[in-house]
Structures are given as C-alpha cells and as structure tokens.
Amino acid sequence: MDNVLHHLAIGFLHVFEPWNLAALIVGLVTGLLVAVLPGLTLVMGVVLALPFTYSMDVIPAIILLTAMYVSGTYAGAWTSILFRVPGEPMDVPLLWDGYTMARKGQAALALGWTLTAAFIGGLIAATFMVAAAHPIAKIALTFSTPEYFAILFFGLVSVVSLGGGSLTNAFISLFIGLLIASVGVDDTYGAERFTFGVDILRDGIDYLVVMVGAYGLGEVFARMEKGFKSAPLQAVDTVKTRLPKLRELWGAKMTYLRGSLAGIIVGLVPGAGATIASFVSYGAEMQYGKRKEQLGTGIPEGIIAPQTAATSSVGGALIPLITMGIPGSGATAIILGAFLLHGLQPGPQVFATSPNIVYAMFASLFVGIVGMCLIGYFAAKVLVKVLDFPEAVVSAYVVMCCFLGAFAARNNVTDLWLLASFGILGYLFERFRFPITPLVLGVILGPLAETNFMTTMVSYDNDWTIFFTRPISGSIMALAIIALVFPLVRHRLRSRKLARTAEAGMRARRPGPTEEVQS
C-alpha cells in the first residue's frame, strides 16, 4: 500500500506540472461544454479530441481525455434540471426529480445536490480504483494468451448483450466492426485480406477514422436530415448553485453510498457505462430508498442516485481498462485508442513498465473531480450560454474537427474518403437503430483478440479446447457464454410472454357462443 501511495503522490506531481494542468483544465471545460450541448455525446466529444493528442506526450494526452470523460458525466444535469433537455441518455433520470424541483422554484438547490453527488460519487470511485487496480493487475500478471483471449471474448460478448435494443442489430454491428478490423495484411501469416489491390488498405483501416466518422460525421448527417432544427429552450433567468447543508447531506448518506456502489459495479462490466449505471441506481433507490414512494415528486434522492452512479462509473470503467486492457465503456474504448496511439498497451505489465503514466491518470481523476465541481459551481451560468449557438455552427465545427483529425493520422487524402464513408455508415446506423458502440469495440478489440487467439493456437498445437481446460480461461469463457446466452433466452421468453398476452387479449375480445346466439 505504501508503494501505491508513493506512486500516487508522484502522479499528483505530474498532474500539477504546467502543461499537464493546462491539459486537465482544457479537458474539463471541453467535457462540460460537450455534455451541455444536446446531441453531442460524451463519447463523440472524446473521439473528436483524440486526434489532437497526436503531437502531445502520453501523460497530458491521457489526462486530457480522462478529464473530458469525468466532466462529461456531470454537466448534462444542468440542461436536464433547468431546461428539461437531457444532455446525455444518462441524464434522463434527472428529469424526474431534478426538473420537478426546478419547477417548484428550487433549481439552485437541485444543482447543488447534483454537484455534491458528482463530487462524492467521483471521489469514492477514484479511491476504490486506486485501492483495487494494483491487486487486480497482480492477478492478471499470471494470465497467458488463453486467458487474455477469453477476457477479450468476454468484453466483446458483454458489449453485445448489454448494448440494449435489438440483439440482432448489435451482433451485426459487432461483426461489421470485426470485418473492418480484418482489412489489411495478416500479422501472423502475412496474407492480404480484403485489400482489393488498393495500397492504402494494405496498412489496414485506422480505427480512429472509423470512430470519428461513425460518431462525429454520422451525428452531423442525422442533424442535417432534420434541418438543424432543435426544439427551442425555455428561458431561465438565473443559473446559480446552492449547496445543501451538512445535516441534509448526512441524511442522504445511504443514497450516496448505494449510488456510488451501483456506479462502480456497473462500470466494471465491459460495455455497460454511465447510462446503465444511472438507471440501475435510480431503480435501486426506488426499491430500497427511505422515501422511495416520493421519488418522481422532486426530492433530492432522485437527483443523488443517478448522478453519483454516473460519475462513479468512471472509476469503475477505468479499472478493467488499466489492469486488463478491456474498455468498460465507449469513452474508455477511445482512451484505450489513445494508449495504443502512443505505443502503450494497457494491461498488468503497464504497472511495471509505466507506473508514472498510470498513477498520473489516477491522480488526474481526483484533481479533475475537484476542478469539475469548482468550475461547475462558479461558471455554470457562462457555460450554459453555449446553448445559444446556432446548431448549424456547432455542426460545422464538428465536421472541421473530424476532417482535421482524420488527415492528421496518416496525412493521406484517402483517409478523408474513408472518413466520409464511415460517416454515412454511422448515419445509417442511427437511422435504422443499429448501435455504434459494438462496431467501434469490434474494430479496436478485434485485432487484439485475433493476435491472442493465433498465438494460443501456435503455442498449443491448434488445440482450441485449451480455452476451456485452463481454470481461469475456462471460467471466463463460461461467464462469456452465459452473458451471450442469457439475453437470448430472456428475449425468447419475453417474446413468448407477449405472444401469450396478445392471444389472451384476442380471446377476451372474441364473442362467446351465447353472445353469438343472442346477436
């Protein structure tokens, strides 16, 4: 433990270096602005920032993206409470009690409860992350390629099973991502795959182009289809934050604790993220809260539960990313991309090879949470003014960032055409309700899974049963299969139940023999 605290102290020193601190502040402000603007998602904001980290050292780059990630879970609450416009899907539960409090004339106090929830939930999760990451990494050091492939397989499967919506669409999205990842020259045998004689494809398709195109341009195309017309926002005279009293905070201690635990646990699950954590925490409060009957009428517990879970999910999601290289959410998938761009592979070895980077990231989370709350308390009124910008102007800025970032990757015009193509693909995904996250995870995790699979096959004489006969890999594969099969079984049972309900309804409406005789 002393060693961990020693490295963490050095991490704080790294964070407070001028350039790193500047990256942190820029990341916090950018994350808050992205979260405030409805339609600009947190993941999209992190994607757009990623290309600008090319020329940066790895520490400020990771600090910048981590700061955007944590602050992006907070500012969307402002528009939910003040304007009834959730900045992110994770902010939807805040409408039910936060906006209701604002309608009662308690908007400032509702913003205060949000701030304390983000602050306390974030610090609890960050502390847990520091305490748990190193022991988990020590266990992961005993893993070999079968275990790594099993973990990657579990990550891919979990993203599909927890993606929500249509399972078929999630599978199709994942397989398209894996297909894109297979383009280029095979690392093991040197064979060309799906290159069609095009030179640029021999180097493979950069996952950055896929991410920026699908998330960034795809969203702009969707807005263009609607004519850049968003619903007008209700005017708010004053935007200020009033913190609750200490006695009130202590009275809600169990809600803070439940929300933080829900966020950490859900964040640990690959593919879950802040949105699921927010809804799960609100549901838990409805089950176990002291004032569960009053939820939805504008009480603080309805704000604390989703906000603590959303912010604490950040710490939970960073644990599998750092210790095993498995992203726990869409945003951590982008941060994984930043690690790879700078030649670092997250995993247990990174604690031995680059502890300065890992603990600088940990320290930046603590500093970022404090900075986020200070900026939120003093500058919320100024940041909310960004909502006055015309939607077309914001979209034009997003397009410019997308093309600059894609061109900076390899200085190749072909990447711009690929970017536009993946933008159209992302738009079609949104249009026909295909989730983009499985696509992106397939592009990023596909090559890693292939490498570990092929290495295992070479090492164990093509014996595929090795994934099931080794204790750890076998257990993880079993969990992965359960995670894969359970949603399918649940979907099948739900379909049968709906069919039986519909059939019973038709029978009830059908006239009986007596009624037919009378008629």
Side-chain angles (χ1 to χ4, degrees):
M1 193 63 190
D2 291 342
N3 195 33
V4 171
L5 294 177
H6 171 73
H7 284 299
L8 186 62
I10 296 176
F12 276 105
L13 293 178
H14 281 302
V15 171
F16 285 108
E17 290 176 5
W19 282 111
N20 295 341
L21 191 60
L24 179 84
I25 295 171
V26 170
L28 290 175
V29 174
T30 309
L32 292 171
L33 289 173
V34 167
V36 164
L37 284 170
L40 278 185
T41 64
L42 165 62
V43 177
M44 183 177 163
V46 179
V47 165
L48 292 177
L50 180 60
F52 296 97
T53 64
Y54 284 154
S55 57
M56 300 169 68
D57 290 335
V58 62
I59 290 181
I62 297 300
I63 288 176
L64 174 75
L65 298 179
T66 305
M68 285 191 67
Y69 182 20
V70 69
S71 61
T73 64
Y74 166 51
W78 301 342
T79 53
S80 292
I81 292 171
L82 298 175
F83 306 111
R84 205 170 182 270
V85 177
E88 292 267 352
M90 75 182 83
D91 301 314
V92 170
L94 288 166
L95 296 175
W96 305 326
D97 285 272
Y99 183 68
T100 308
M101 282 188 74
R103 297 277 293 175
K104 293 178 179 176
Q106 299 177 328
L109 183 59
L111 293 178
W113 282 110
T114 306
L115 188 147
T116 60
F119 182 75
I120 294 174
L123 288 185
I124 290 175
T127 305
F128 177 83
M129 177 185 67
V130 172
H134 202 259
I136 293 175
K138 279 187 175 178
I139 296 172
L141 271 175
T142 62
F143 293 174
S144 186
T145 52
E147 284 77 23
Y148 278 113
F149 174 76
I151 292 171
L152 290 163
F153 182 71
F154 180 71
L156 290 170
V157 166
S158 299
V159 166
V160 172
S161 61
L162 294 171
S166 169
L167 287 176
T168 306
N169 290 357
F171 274 113
I172 292 173
S173 176
L174 175 64
F175 291 144
I176 291 175
L178 292 173
L179 179 65
I180 294 170
S182 67
V183 173
V185 178
D186 172 29
D187 290 337
T188 306
Y189 297 106
E192 293 187 9
R193 300 181 301 199
F194 308 113
T195 58
F196 306 107
V198 180
D199 289 339
I200 190 70
L201 293 180
R202 289 195 179 93
D203 295 332
I205 296 176
D206 196 335
Y207 55 83
L208 177 73
V209 176
V210 180
M211 290 190 296
V212 174
Y215 278 117
L217 280 188
E219 176 64 27
V220 172
F221 289 154
R223 290 181 177 209
M224 189 186 300
E225 183 188 26
K226 298 175 183 174
F228 299 112
K229 293 179 180 177
S230 297
L233 299 176
Q234 182 181 354
V236 173
D237 296 332
T238 57
V239 179
K240 62 180 181 180
T241 302
R242 181 163 70 85
L243 296 176
K245 297 175 182 175
L246 286 176
R247 178 174 50 81
E248 295 173 321
L249 290 174
W250 182 253
K253 58 183 180 299
M254 292 307 297
T255 305
Y256 284 108
L257 186 60
R258 272 193 296 271
S260 301
L261 289 176
I264 292 170
I265 293 171
V266 174
L268 284 169
V269 179
T275 299
I276 294 177
S278 176
F279 280 90
V280 167
S281 179
Y282 195 89
E285 193 63 24
M286 291 185 73
Q287 292 287 329
Y288 307 106
K290 190 165 60 177
R291 295 197 293 171
K292 56 186 177 185
E293 295 84 5
Q294 300 177 40
L295 278 176
T297 62
I299 60 173
E301 288 88 339
I303 298 173
I304 298 168
Q307 186 61 63
T308 46
T311 306
S312 61
S313 70
V314 175
L318 288 175
I319 292 175
L321 170 69
I322 296 296
T323 58
M324 292 177 282
I326 305 297
S329 64
T332 49
I334 314 304
I335 296 176
L336 171 62
F339 272 106
L340 298 176
L341 278 174
H342 289 85
L344 283 174
Q345 173 63 56
Q349 295 86 357
V350 80
F351 282 86
T353 58
S354 307
N356 56 330
I357 298 173
V358 173
Y359 284 95
M361 183 181 186
F362 288 171
S364 72
L365 190 58
F366 284 98
V367 180
I369 290 165
V370 175
M372 169 187 78
C373 292
L374 288 174
I375 295 173
Y377 184 80
F378 291 107
K381 184 176 181 178
V382 177
L383 293 174
V384 169
K385 288 290 183 186
V386 74
L387 291 170
D388 296 336
F389 289 175
E391 191 173 336
V393 173
V394 176
S395 299
Y397 179 73
V398 169
V399 171
M400 183 190 72
C401 291
C402 289
F403 279 95
L404 282 176
F407 187 73
R410 296 190 286 190
N411 293 330
N412 194 308
V413 177
T414 307
D415 280 342
L416 302 185
W417 290 106
L418 289 173
L419 176 77
S421 302
F422 286 114
I424 295 171
L425 182 66
Y427 161 72
L428 293 175
F429 268 44
E430 291 286 342
R431 186 77 171 75
F432 296 103
R433 300 183 181 281
F434 283 79
I436 297 177
T437 300
L439 169 82
V440 172
L441 266 292
V443 172
I444 293 178
L445 296 185
L448 299 174
E450 181 188 3
T451 301
N452 283 286
F453 178 81
M454 294 304 296
T455 305
T456 304
M457 290 295 99
V458 171
S459 302
Y460 294 92
D461 298 327
N462 293 325
D463 180 13
W464 60 270
T465 61
I466 194 68
F467 297 115
F468 299 92
T469 54
R470 290 169 68 97
I472 296 177
S473 64
S475 302
I476 298 172
M477 289 297 283
L479 289 173
I481 292 172
I482 292 172
L484 179 64
V485 172
F486 176 70
L488 297 175
V489 173
R490 185 180 56 186
H491 178 71
R492 184 69 176 169
L493 292 175
R494 189 176 298 169
S495 300
R496 284 186 178 181
K497 185 179 179 181
L498 289 174
R500 283 199 297 268
T501 305
E503 187 178 355
M506 290 180 64
R507 285 177 181 170
R509 288 193 297 272
R510 191 179 302 161
T514 308
E515 294 172 313
E516 289 179 352
V517 169
Q518 289 176 347
S519 64

